[in-house]
Amino acid sequence: GSAGTIEKHYTINELCGILKMSFERVRQLIRREPGVLCFAPECPSKRRTRIMYRVPESVLQRILRRSANPAA
């Protein structure tokens, strides 16, 4: 991409539709992927922290290339 351009970022729900996978499967797929953005908003009223993930287009393309050619 050119300098100053912000690439599209996907939510897990968007990726579920694109990849035809369950929420949990997509979450496992991207959870430790380099380049994925993780946001953990402060929410003192809840015991569990809800982590929000945003997956850049370039990271999605890398995941798709790797799964299309797992031997590489």
Side-chain angles (χ1 to χ4, degrees):
S2 62
T5 302
I6 297 176
E7 66 182 308
K8 178 162 175 52
H9 285 65
Y10 295 94
T11 64
I12 291 182
N13 282 327
E14 288 172 323
L15 292 178
C16 290
I18 293 168
L19 301 174
K20 307 289 191 254
M21 293 179 176
S22 70
F23 185 94
E24 188 58 30
R25 179 71 186 107
V26 172
R27 190 181 70 81
Q28 289 174 356
L29 187 67
I30 66 154
R31 193 171 59 180
R32 292 192 173 87
E33 190 69 32
V36 171
L37 305 178
C38 301
F39 301 95
E42 290 290 326
C43 194
S45 63
K46 293 185 179 174
R47 291 171 65 208
R48 277 183 59 190
T49 303
R50 184 184 176 103
I51 299 174
M52 294 182 295
Y53 294 95
R54 294 295 178 270
V55 182
E57 176 85 37
S58 57
V59 173
L60 174 59
Q61 295 299 331
R62 182 175 69 220
I63 291 169
L64 293 175
R65 275 194 310 273
R66 189 173 60 227
S67 38
N69 190 8

